[in-house]
Every structure is written in structure tokens, then in C-alpha cells.
Amino acid sequence: MLDQALDLLDPHIAELIWGAIVAYFGWVFRYIAKTKQAQDSLHRALGTGVDLVTDALVAMILTNPAGIAADRLAGQVVGYVKGSVPGALRWLLPSDAQLMRMAEAKLNAAVADLVAKMGPDRLAEALQQAGAPARQL
């Protein structure tokens, strides 16, 4: 009698097991996709925040090229990110220190890119070629 009952239930039990397996892997893939989307949103917002402070970066580079303190602008970038992608921040849960490090890294990359685009200081090169002593900052 028990064998007959189990024979009748076997297809349904197998269906439930397969349904649970498929649901689990669906949840895992959804979690991975949402995490990836949140990371992409966060990095795009960091890049946009850096773009917003580019004018201030250029002014800092032109006034004091040896001692660029891009970390002063990191707070503005983090403020923009917090207002721009709150959902991604709730999903990823980065600390303020992590956000500041990411913003500083993006700003330092932007500074390096801007300095490379500006090229060498032509006036300093001309003065050195004319025989003026080189001055270290």
C-alpha cells in the first residue's frame, strides 16, 4: 500500500525538487545580475561626479601642479554619488571610507589624465634651455 502511494507521489516529488533547484539558481543569477548592475551604476556615478568637479581640478593643477590635493574634492564627488544612486548604495552597502577611497582613486586618475593632456610646461623648458636654474617644488 505504501509502495503504491509512493509510486503515485514520485513524479510530484521530483517536480517539487526540480522546482526548488530552478528557483534557487534563478535567485542566485538574479542576485549576481543585481549586484553587477549596482556596481556599474556606482562607478558611472563616480565618473560623473569627477566630471562635475573637473573645472576645480584644472584650477588646482594650474595653480599648484606639484601639490595637487584632489582629495579635497572627493567629498563633493561622494555627495553627488549618494544623491545619484541611493539604490545601488543600499544594495552594495559601502562605507563612507570606501566611497572616499573610490572617489580619490577616480580623481587621481582624472588628474593624471589631465596632466598628460596638458603636456610639458613650455615656459619652464624654455627657461631651462636659456640657462635659468632648475627649481624643485
Side-chain angles (χ1 to χ4, degrees), residues 43 45-58 60-61 68-79 99-115:
H43 285 287
L46 282 166
T48 304
V50 169
D51 290 344
L52 289 174
V53 297
T54 299
D55 291 338
L57 268 176
V58 170
M60 289 173 77
I61 291 169
I68 300 167
D71 56 338
R72 283 190 238 151
L73 299 173
Q76 293 177 359
V77 174
V78 170
L99 286 174
M100 287 296 283
R101 282 195 305 270
M102 286 189 276
E104 288 172 4
K106 293 271 187 185
L107 283 165
N108 288 332
V111 166
D113 188 43
L114 287 170
V115 169

Side-chain angles (χ1 to χ4, degrees), residues 2-17:
L2 185 59
D3 287 339
Q4 290 175 348
L6 287 176
D7 286 343
L8 289 174
L9 292 176
D10 276 346
H12 300 292
I13 292 172
E15 239 179 269
L16 287 174
I17 291 171

Side-chain angles (χ1 to χ4, degrees), residues 76-136:
Q76 293 177 359
V77 174
V78 170
Y80 172 79
V81 168
K82 285 182 176 181
S84 177
V85 287
L89 295 176
R90 278 193 304 270
W91 182 259
L92 296 172
L93 298 173
S95 68
D96 286 342
Q98 289 170 325
L99 286 174
M100 287 296 283
R101 282 195 305 270
M102 286 189 276
E104 288 172 4
K106 293 271 187 185
L107 283 165
N108 288 332
V111 166
D113 188 43
L114 287 170
V115 169
K117 285 180 182 176
M118 292 173 116
D121 185 3
R122 296 178 202 272
L123 178 60
E125 284 181 5
L127 288 171
Q128 285 177 355
Q129 288 175 356
R135 184 171 158 221
Q136 294 292 330

